[in-house]
Amino acid sequence: MTVQLQPVMLEEATPIKIQIVFRPKNDVLTLKAYLNGIIAGVPIPFPLPQSDGCVSCGNVCPIAAGTKTTYSAALKVEPSYPAIKLVSQWKLESQLKLFEVCVEIPVVIE
């Protein structure tokens, strides 16, 4: 499913919280969280404070296929980040090396 989103405006030193509700297609034992900033079509990895997706889902692993689950993350726009337009790409990868979640959100850092 593709949904067109309006850009999210972010300011320096502003805390950001995201919640992604999903239902995995497969039974999940482990989840690894990834955040990329896509700039000019090139994905650039951004560090997450917690890359263990199971922890960010409330320590609910294992997750049975089809179970409604919420991934939560919080970060801050660092002063070192330049003013730029980009696409933030959030992914959750299971132990099967399959992405159970892939969300792209347009962002403007001011």
Side-chain angles (χ1 to χ4, degrees):
M1 173 172 72
T2 301
V3 177
Q4 293 287 56
L5 301 174
Q6 293 296 316
V8 176
M9 307 301 278
L10 303 176
E11 295 181 10
E12 180 180 304
T14 302
I16 302 163
K17 293 182 182 178
I18 186 167
Q19 289 190 324
I20 301 170
V21 178
F22 68 102
R23 293 179 189 271
K25 292 182 180 178
N26 305 285
D27 290 341
V28 172
L29 301 177
T30 64
L31 279 176
K32 180 155 172 73
Y34 297 94
L35 172 60
N36 292 312
I38 301 175
I39 302 170
V42 178
I44 299 169
F46 276 76
L48 287 169
Q50 179 57 261
S51 64
D52 184 335
C54 290
V55 171
S56 297
C57 289
N59 289 314
V60 296
C61 292
I63 305 168
T67 302
K68 184 176 177 181
T69 307
T70 302
Y71 168 81
S72 300
L75 17 132
K76 185 172 76 171
V77 177
E78 298 295 339
S80 60
Y81 294 174
I84 192 169
K85 286 183 179 182
L86 60 109
V87 174
S88 64
Q89 181 186 64
W90 298 79
K91 292 183 175 184
L92 295 176
E93 182 183 47
S94 75
Q95 76 283 353
L96 300 172
K97 302 295 182 200
L98 298 173
F99 289 111
E100 295 294 336
V101 171
C102 182
V103 176
E104 294 185 349
I105 303 168
V107 171
V108 176
I109 298 176
E110 299 179 322

